[in-house]
Amino acid sequence: MQHEFYRDTWVEVNLDAITHNVKAMKHHIGENVEIIAVVKANGYGHGAYQVAKTALDAGASILAVAFLDEAIALRNSGIHAPILVLGATRAENVDLAIKYNITLTVFSLEWLYEAKQYIQKDTINLHIKLDTGMGRLGVRNAEDLASLMTFVSGSSLFAITGIYTHFATADEIDLQYFNNQYEKFLELIDSISHENILVHCGNSATGLRFPGKLFNAVRLGISMYGLSPSLEIKNELPYSLQEAFALQTKLVHVKKVPKGTKVSYGATYEAREDEWIGTLPIGYADGWLRSLKSSEVLVDDKRVELVGRICMDQCMVKLPYKLPVGTKVTLIGKQNNEQISVDEVAERLDTINYEVTCMITSRVPRMFYRNKSIIDVSNPLLTNMTREC
Ligand SMILES: *Cc1c(COP(=O)(O)O)cnc(C)c1O
């Protein structure tokens, strides 16, 4: 793993926060419910490998990702724990899943017919996905489930090791739709025998709010990263979450400009007086989107305003006074008593916290902290370069 980067913009991932969040959930749901740590999308932008390792050490026993590629990447980085792919996998790639000992999700009989042709002798482990109201992936009724079960029970190529569903509204105050989905799930799983397999329906919101409704596993995503599944339930969380994600940069240029000076593309910002303007080496190609213009960042423990349009690789900030080049600037995270939370950035963008950490691109290196010291750095840019030469 590469331990260097040459630009002063980075994500800090506090692995102790991840440990806290996993342990708190484990304590909340009890020893008999397993934690499936959801590390899709590079661990919601935090770094899948380090988050996976941390979650497993903290009490998670299974990992989940969205796509087979993500699962293979984890295997290639040395993760041996069970991995479940939540999304659809091409039937023709079932042999790869077997080779890497990865569990796939099945949701149609046609997929099984097709997959069968690509399996030589070994067995593929499968979790059945039921669609109880999410309308995304899943078997939708008892008849289809029965024919799927009949097909697999007659074949040694398929082993059903789990069955699950996903809620559309577990993070909302109104529980009617959630309860309907839960009832439908009960009905469907009761129509088949499900002893000795994993049965799971809960995401973070369900785990936090309804620890008694989880069957024997919970799929823990957003709250493992220390973020609330929604603003609606943020005030009724059963334990405190610790945010793991911070986005940092540094002033790379500082100048005093006279009143009337224009800043950035379109010359849309004009200095209202003689002003100190700082330049930050982060832009929309890093996921710091153009619509974040005029938003606040932290410098010298204070909130200050971004000015002018955000460029692809840089943006400008209005400083309260002269500050030296190299001064740390926090775009997400804390400086002393000030904090810009992921939720605050989500609100500015009119989106959800999930999207904010995912949108910070792989151009930004991730630095992993334990006990306030750096234990690892991941920088796909330089890692790939090294491999190619
Ligand atoms: C992403 C995902 C999760 C995790 O949900 P959170 O709200 O982040 O806890 C759980 N289950 C499925 C099927 C998912 O796709």
Side-chain angles (χ1 to χ4, degrees):
M1 198 153 296
Q2 192 76 33
H3 284 265
E4 286 161 36
F5 55 95
Y6 308 110
R7 175 177 64 144
D8 284 328
T9 297
W10 69 99
V11 165
E12 282 172 15
V13 178
N14 178 357
L15 295 174
D16 295 322
I18 306 265
T19 298
H20 164 88
N21 298 327
V22 171
K23 285 190 168 164
M25 178 57 85
K26 189 78 191 166
H27 185 252
H28 182 59
I29 61 182
E31 274 308 309
N32 297 329
V33 182
E34 303 209 35
I35 292 183
I36 303 172
V38 182
V39 294
K40 62 192 179 192
N42 195 29
Y44 291 39
H46 293 64
Y49 170 72
Q50 285 294 346
V51 171
K53 258 190 18 172
T54 304
L56 292 167
D57 285 346
S61 49
I62 302 166
L63 302 169
V65 292
F67 303 115
L68 182 61
D69 308 56
E70 297 177 306
I72 292 173
L74 285 172
R75 283 280 179 265
N76 285 340
S77 57
I79 298 275
H80 300 293
I83 304 177
L84 168 64
V85 172
L86 298 166
T89 304
R90 293 181 200 144
E92 68 202 69
N93 292 142
V94 70
D95 54 336
L96 268 179
I98 292 174
K99 177 179 164 199
Y100 286 95
N101 191 20
I102 289 159
T103 304
L104 298 181
T105 290
V106 59
F107 48 88
S108 83
L109 190 56
E110 293 70 38
W111 186 90
L112 288 173
Y113 285 143
E114 210 190 327
K116 195 172 175 179
Q117 308 166 40
Y118 294 96
I119 310 178
Q120 265 76 48
K121 53 178 186 342
D122 294 308
T123 305
I124 179 74
N125 291 328
L126 299 171
H127 283 205
I128 299 173
K129 179 78 183 285
L130 302 175
D131 180 7
T132 56
M134 178 70 183
R136 195 165 65 176
L137 295 178
V139 177
R140 296 170 56 82
N141 57 57
E143 300 77 69
D144 290 352
L145 179 58
S147 46
L148 200 145
M149 290 305 286
T150 308
F151 186 86
V152 294
S153 62
S155 169
S156 62
L157 303 176
F158 302 107
I160 301 300
T161 56
I163 187 162
Y164 72 105
T165 194
H166 191 50
F167 294 117
T169 63
D171 60 351
E172 292 179 13
I173 298 292
D174 186 338
L175 291 175
Q176 197 188 335
Y177 198 81
F178 172 87
N179 287 330
N180 288 344
Q181 278 198 265
Y182 186 77
E183 291 305 319
K184 180 129 196 237
F185 185 57
L186 272 182
E187 224 177 273
L188 284 171
I189 58 171
D190 284 344
S191 73
I192 60 159
S193 104
H194 56 266
E195 282 89 52
N196 305 319
I197 65 170
L198 276 184
V199 179
H200 48 110
C201 62
N203 51 4
S204 292
T206 314
L208 288 163
R209 301 173 81 196
F210 312 110
K213 289 199 153 129
L214 297 174
F215 302 89
N216 54 23
V218 63
R219 299 186 304 274
L220 184 63
I222 197 75
S223 75
M224 173 168 69
Y225 302 97
L227 302 171
S228 175
S230 70
L231 295 177
E232 260 180 79
I233 65 162
K234 200 174 176 177
N235 293 324
E236 53 164 77
L237 300 179
Y239 52 84
S240 74
L241 296 172
Q242 292 181 9
E243 260 186 64
F245 191 94
L247 178 60
Q248 313 279 11
T249 187
K250 285 181 179 175
L251 295 173
V252 291
H253 183 51
V254 175
K255 59 184 178 276
K256 190 172 195 183
V257 302
K259 181 179 175 191
T261 303
K262 310 277 195 183
V263 174
S264 197
Y265 283 120
T268 56
Y269 179 78
E270 180 178 315
R272 287 153 282 195
E273 56 203 328
D274 291 0
E275 289 176 2
W276 287 97
I277 299 291
T279 302
L280 308 178
I282 181 169
Y284 60 78
D286 300 299
W288 194 248
L289 305 185
R290 289 177 87 239
S291 40
L292 287 165
K293 87 175 166 45
S294 308
S295 64
E296 290 178 330
V297 300
L298 304 179
V299 187
D300 206 25
D301 300 343
K302 291 175 191 64
R303 283 177 174 264
V304 299
E305 199 193 329
L306 294 181
V307 294
R309 288 188 187 155
I310 292 173
C311 312
M312 188 182 290
D313 320 297
Q314 301 172 79
C315 59
M316 272 61 79
V317 61
K318 182 183 169 198
L319 301 173
Y321 35 78
K322 184 179 185 184
L323 283 163
V325 163
T327 301
K328 183 159 141 179
V329 179
T330 300
L331 296 92
I332 299 174
K334 282 185 192 159
Q335 281 197 7
N336 229 335
N337 294 324
E338 283 290 351
Q339 180 182 15
I340 293 175
S341 64
V342 175
D343 280 338
E344 179 180 334
V345 176
E347 198 185 329
R348 290 181 204 155
L349 289 169
D350 198 19
T351 185
I352 54 174
N353 50 21
Y354 292 73
E355 195 175 21
V356 172
T357 57
C358 285
M359 82 190 182
I360 303 305
T361 65
S362 59
R363 192 169 76 170
V364 183
R366 270 61 173 171
M367 302 182 62
F368 300 95
Y369 283 76
R370 267 220 179 277
N371 247 324
K372 299 201 161 62
S373 20
I374 301 165
I375 62 146
D376 195 10
V377 177
S378 100
N379 184 0
L381 279 181
L382 294 188
T383 311
N384 292 343
M385 242 170 65
T386 316
R387 280 203 192 121
E388 275 159 27
C389 355

